[in-house]
Amino acid sequence: MAGFLDRAKEQAQRGLAQGKEKVEEVQAQRQGSELLRKLGAAYYAEQRGSGSAAQVQQALSALEQHIAQHGDGFLRQS
């Protein structure tokens, strides 16, 4: 009986770890998408004359930092 409970506990812990990993992945994708949106908005503002190249560079740097840490998988999402 103890062996069964140990296996059940192990499976539950694995399931929780996988769920946590998936949540973190989704959060990273959302954050990447938001940074990409901010870059687009900064570029648009610059082109329209109400933004600056510094704002575009700042948004680009934040996006590149995110990609270095989490990868660029969110760029392939539809």
Side-chain angles (χ1 to χ4, degrees):
M1 184 69 169
F4 172 76
L5 292 177
D6 289 339
R7 285 192 304 266
K9 181 180 176 183
E10 184 180 311
Q11 282 183 327
Q13 288 174 337
R14 259 186 286 161
L16 286 173
Q18 288 173 345
K20 182 179 177 183
E21 185 178 308
K22 184 63 177 175
V23 166
E24 290 171 356
E25 181 183 318
V26 168
Q27 287 175 336
Q29 287 178 351
R30 286 182 182 166
Q31 186 179 32
S33 294
E34 178 63 17
L35 289 170
L36 189 59
R37 187 198 64 75
K38 286 181 179 181
L39 174 60
Y43 178 77
Y44 179 78
E46 179 191 28
Q47 294 299 305
R48 301 288 289 167
S50 60
S52 69
Q55 290 171 319
V56 173
Q57 187 56 47
Q58 183 180 8
L60 181 59
S61 294
L63 181 63
E64 288 174 338
Q65 213 170 22
H66 179 81
I67 289 172
Q69 187 175 7
H70 300 285
D72 64 355
F74 69 94
L75 294 172
R76 293 184 211 85
Q77 300 296 320
S78 56

